[in-house]
């Protein structure tokens, strides 16, 4: 319960803002082209590096299949590495963080503080708007294997949580001339207007030499995404 002060309700009489309000606010946004080639000819890398901030959450969208491959933190910065299907395709991103890190514009608006004097809401900030949660619990026959599409209001982008991926090893040839290939498949969302298509697809193949130790196959089945509305943010 709030300790004192302002309370704001919506038209359904649901409490929206008071001194206990907490949400992440926009700190940075931008776009980046995927132009760094990978060993798999039709997939390209794109990277975004920003200040690590306090507790960043990054949402993204792209008109072709793409996914967040890796996140690293070093020297006070955080770097996001995307893998994108297609050369020079554009990844849009939005980074939300603790409200003290928020990007604000203008000199007028409403601010709400709690009893400790900490700012909990500023009308000049652009807060995270959650539309949906898309997740799977690890079922091997999950619908995401074939793919499915969901439609939303606004402009949807996703925060990637767990990444569903599979690495399988396949051998060709006859002894002793056997070649082993390791194939990577993972979920790579595709965005089109208000639609998002979630589907497994291949993104890399590794050929192992005769003298190499071939690592065992891997399969992480669970996945989860938070869908945000980034329209006019």
């Amino acid at each position: 319960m709030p300790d004192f002060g302002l309370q704001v309700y919506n038209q359904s009489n649901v409490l929206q803002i008071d001194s206990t309000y907490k949400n992440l606010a926009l700190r940075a946004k931008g776009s980046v082209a995927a132009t760094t080639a990978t060993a798999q000819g039709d997939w390209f890398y794109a990277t975004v590096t920003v200040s690590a901030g306090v507790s960043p959450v990054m949402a993204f969208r792209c008109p072709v299949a793409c996914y967040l491959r890796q996140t690293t933190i070093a020297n006070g910065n955080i770097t996001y590495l995307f893998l994108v299907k297609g050369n020079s395709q554009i990844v849009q991103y939005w980074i939300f963080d603790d409200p003290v890190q928020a990007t604000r514009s203008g000199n007028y608006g409403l601010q709400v503080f709690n009893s400790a004097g900490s700012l909990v809401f500023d009308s000049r900030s652009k807060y995270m708007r959650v539309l949906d949660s898309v997740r799977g619990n690890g079922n091997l026959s999950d619908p995401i294997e074939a793919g499915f599409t969901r439609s939303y209001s606004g402009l949807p982008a996703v925060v990637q949580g767990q990444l569903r991926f599979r690495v399988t090893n396949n051998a060709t040839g006859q002894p002793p001339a056997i070649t082993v290939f390791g194939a990577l498949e993972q979920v790579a969302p595709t965005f089109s207007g208000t639609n998002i298509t979630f589907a497994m697809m291949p993104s890399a193949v590794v050929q192992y030499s005769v003298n190499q130790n071939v690592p065992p196959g891997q399969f992480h089945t669970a996945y989860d995404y938070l869908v945000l509305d980034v329209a006019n943010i």
Side-chain angles (χ1 to χ4, degrees):
M1 294 291 293
D3 35 22
F4 64 88
L6 176 75
Q7 291 183 316
V8 178
Y9 292 81
N10 65 13
Q11 61 184 4
S12 300
N13 202 36
V14 176
L15 180 63
Q16 299 294 291
I17 301 169
D18 61 19
S19 64
T20 65
Y21 181 85
K22 290 184 181 296
N23 197 355
L24 300 181
L26 183 72
R27 173 161 66 89
K29 67 176 181 177
S31 59
V32 60
T35 56
T36 303
T38 68
Q40 195 76 1
D42 55 350
W43 288 84
F44 293 79
Y45 287 117
T47 59
V48 174
T49 299
V50 296
S51 170
V54 177
S55 51
V57 170
M58 189 273 300
F60 67 92
R61 61 177 282 134
C62 184
V64 296
C66 62
Y67 69 99
L68 181 61
R69 180 70 173 269
Q70 179 178 291
T71 302
T72 57
I73 298 178
N75 301 318
N77 292 325
I78 186 167
T79 297
Y80 302 97
L81 175 66
F82 297 96
L83 204 56
V84 182
K85 190 174 178 62
N87 188 13
S88 300
Q89 294 291 335
I90 302 298
V91 179
Q92 294 177 278
Y93 64 89
W94 296 259
I95 298 174
F96 298 87
D97 206 338
D98 186 286
V100 300
Q101 300 282 316
T103 300
R104 304 182 182 94
S105 60
N107 298 316
Y108 302 94
L110 172 69
Q111 291 183 320
V112 179
F113 295 81
N114 61 21
S115 59
S118 299
L119 180 66
V120 296
F121 176 82
D122 189 320
S123 63
R124 298 172 299 165
S125 298
K126 296 181 178 180
Y127 291 95
M128 196 163 66
R129 302 193 299 261
V130 178
L131 293 174
D132 194 10
S133 176
V134 179
R135 61 181 59 193
N137 60 9
N139 191 329
L140 296 179
S141 59
D142 191 286
I144 207 165
E145 287 291 318
F148 58 83
T149 299
R150 291 192 181 181
S151 299
Y152 300 95
S153 60
L155 185 69
V158 297
V159 177
Q160 178 183 306
Q162 296 184 81
L163 176 66
R164 182 183 177 102
F165 71 89
R166 176 171 48 241
V167 178
T168 54
N169 297 322
N170 303 285
T172 62
Q174 298 294 325
I178 294 179
T179 302
V180 177
F181 295 89
L184 169 65
E185 298 174 274
Q186 74 294 304
V187 177
T190 302
F191 300 79
S192 177
T194 60
N195 297 330
I196 308 176
T197 299
F198 298 89
M200 291 283 286
M201 58 180 56
S203 67
V205 174
V206 176
Q207 179 178 339
Y208 297 99
S209 66
V210 175
N211 297 322
Q212 281 184 288
N213 291 322
V214 178
Q218 303 176 57
F219 192 5
H220 182 79
T221 56
Y223 62 90
D224 58 81
Y225 296 86
L226 195 64
V227 182
L228 307 183
D229 178 11
V230 294
N232 302 315
I233 291 183

